[in-house]
Amino acid sequence: MAEVLVLAEHSGGTVKKVTTELLTAARRLGTPSVVWTGPGAEGAREKLAEFGAEKVYVADGTDFADYVVAPKAELLAHLVSAASPAAVLIAGSAEGKEVAGRLAVKTGSGVLTDAVDVVAGEDGTALVSQANFGGAVNVHSKVKSGLAIITVRPNAVTPEVAAGAAEVVAVEFVASDAARVARVTSREAAAKSARPDLQEAQIVVSGGRGTGSADGFAVIEQLADALGAAVGASRAVTDAGWYPHAFQVGQTGKTVSPQLYAAVGISGAIQHRAGMQTSKTIIAINKDPEAPIFEIADFGVVGDLFTVVPQLIDEIGKRKG
Ligand SMILES: Cc1cc2nc3c(=O)[nH]c(=O)nc-3n(C[C@H](O)[C@H](O)[C@H](O)COP(=O)(O)OP(=O)(O)OC[C@H]3O[C@@H](n4cnc5c(N)ncnc54)[C@H](O)[C@@H]3O)c2cc1C
C-alpha cells in the first residue's frame, strides 16, 4: 500500500489529539507515515505507534521553531518527492491550512480543506466530505491533478487505535533561504486556561447576544466549567467586546466539531452555524421559539437563559455530587 504522510501537530513533544485523528483517516487510504518537526519525537513514538504510524520521519532542526510555516511546507515537498505518497493529511488549523496551500503550490497538486470525513474512493484515491454553506450542503470532492493534499477538521474523525511500528527515520533537512525570510523573534506563552482548547474540546458551551453583557456572559463560563467544557461565543459577543475574539465560533472565527455543542442565547445565523453545524449533538437555549438555531438543534429549551442555565448548573452539580 502507498504511504500517506501525516504532518504531526504537537505541543512541546505531546501529540495533539488531531494527529491521532489524521492517522485514523490516513489508514483508510494507505500506510501512514508521520512527519515530525522539531524535538520530542522519541517520547511521542509510543502514541504514534498506538494509532498505526508505520514510520516517523523526524526533522529535528531549529528551522521549525525559528521560522514560520515555510520550512514545514518545504520539508513536506522534499518528502513527497522522496516517498511518492498517495496523499498528505494535515490538521485543519490556521497553520495547517497555510502549510497545505504552500505544499500544493510546490508540488502542483490540488488541496482540499476542512474535510469532515476522508475515505478511499472506488479507484482507491481519497474521497473527501466537506460541510459547505454552514453545513447545509455536504460536498464530496477529490483531487484530480497531482497529489491529494487534505486538511482535516479537528474532532471530525473519531480516533481508532491500530498498532504500527513507528520506525523512526531521521531526515536531513535544511530550509532554503527563501523559507527563512520571516523569522520568529520572540514567543509569549498564551495564558493557560484550565478549560480545554476550543477546537479540541469534546464539549463546547457558546454564548450569544442573549447574554446581554460581559457580566451576563459569566453564566456561560459557569456552565462550561460545570461540564468541563470549552467556552465559545458568537460574533455579536466578540464584536461587543464581551469576550475575546479568539473564542468566536463561525465563518470568520473557529470551526468546532465537538461531541456536544450548547448554543445559549444564540440565534443561529448561517455564519455562526458554519462553525459548529457538524457538532455531534447540539443543544439550544433561547427564549424565542422561532430562533433558527432550533432547526439544527437535537435538544432545545425555550426559555430565558438566566433562568434555565442556573437550574442546569444546579442539576449537573447534583448528578456529579
Ligand atoms: C461576513 C460575515 C461573517 C460573520 N461571521 C460570523 C461568525 O464567525 N460567527 C458568528 O457567530 N457570527 C458571524 N457573523 C454574524 C452573524 O450574521 C450574526 O449577526 C451573529 O451570529 C449573531 O450573534 P447572536 O446569535 O449572538 O446574536 P443575535 O442574532 O442577536 O441573537 C441573540 C439571540 O439570543 C436570544 N435571546 C435574547 N435574550 C435571551 C435570553 N435572556 N435568554 C435566552 N435567549 C435570549 C434571542 O432570541 C436571539 O435569538 C458574520 C456576519 C457576516 C456578515
Side-chain angles (χ1 to χ4, degrees):
M1 282 225 269
E3 271 186 81
V4 177
L5 298 183
V6 167
L7 181 62
E9 288 241 343
H10 60 93
S11 159
T14 304
V15 178
K16 287 198 177 175
K17 181 170 161 272
V18 68
T19 306
T20 63
E21 296 165 9
L22 296 175
L23 279 167
T24 304
R27 293 203 310 270
R28 300 174 190 160
L29 306 175
T31 307
S33 294
V34 167
V35 179
W36 187 277
T37 56
E42 201 46 53
R45 255 194 79 203
E46 197 181 324
K47 183 88 170 175
L48 299 173
E50 189 187 337
F51 287 88
E54 285 300 332
K55 277 186 201 165
V56 184
Y57 292 110
V58 180
D60 187 6
T62 51
D63 284 343
F64 305 104
D66 291 351
Y67 299 92
V68 278
V69 295
K72 285 188 182 170
E74 263 188 9
L75 169 68
L76 281 173
H78 165 73
L79 289 170
V80 163
S81 79
S84 305
V88 180
L89 301 191
I90 300 172
S93 57
E95 180 178 308
K97 286 179 194 170
E98 189 175 342
V99 172
R102 286 170 180 266
L103 178 63
V105 171
K106 286 179 190 301
T107 58
S109 302
V111 59
L112 293 168
T113 57
D114 230 4
V116 293
D117 198 14
V118 182
V119 293
E122 278 173 16
D123 57 359
T125 57
L127 195 58
V128 159
S129 300
Q130 293 157 306
N132 285 357
F133 300 112
V137 178
N138 203 20
V139 175
H140 301 288
S141 321
K142 67 179 185 178
V143 167
K144 288 181 71 181
S145 119
L147 174 74
I149 298 167
I150 301 163
T151 70
V152 182
R153 184 182 291 187
N155 271 335
V157 174
T158 307
E160 290 161 15
V161 293
E167 175 206 344
V168 170
V169 180
V171 180
E172 287 300 320
F173 171 79
V174 180
S176 71
D177 289 344
R180 296 165 178 230
V181 287
R183 188 167 190 275
V184 177
T185 54
S186 69
R187 286 173 192 274
E188 198 175 316
K192 195 78 181 149
S193 157
R195 298 190 186 108
D197 178 83
L198 178 56
Q199 286 186 288
E200 297 227 326
Q202 294 297 304
I203 307 176
V204 174
V205 178
S206 280
R209 203 193 315 261
T211 57
S213 65
D215 287 345
F217 196 84
V219 78
I220 302 300
E221 293 189 305
Q222 288 157 14
L223 178 56
D225 290 343
L227 289 167
V231 173
S234 72
R235 179 157 158 185
V237 165
T238 58
D239 279 357
W242 300 346
Y243 216 65
H245 277 283
F247 297 90
Q248 183 183 313
V249 172
Q251 185 186 320
T252 44
K254 301 259 164 64
T255 302
V256 300
S257 197
Q259 292 295 324
L260 179 66
Y261 186 89
V264 184
I266 291 177
S267 59
I270 185 94
Q271 296 90 353
H272 186 79
R273 287 154 70 148
M276 47 65 76
Q277 183 137 4
T278 54
S279 303
K280 309 295 180 291
T281 300
I282 297 170
I283 298 176
I285 301 171
N286 198 302
K287 67 178 184 185
D288 175 7
E290 303 294 324
I293 192 73
F294 286 123
E295 291 164 17
I296 57 161
D298 299 284
F299 300 98
V301 182
V302 178
D304 187 318
L305 71 92
F306 293 108
T307 310
V308 175
V309 173
Q311 290 180 53
L312 190 51
I313 294 170
D314 252 15
E315 192 57 37
I316 293 164
K318 278 186 206 153
R319 293 194 186 194
K320 275 186 181 166

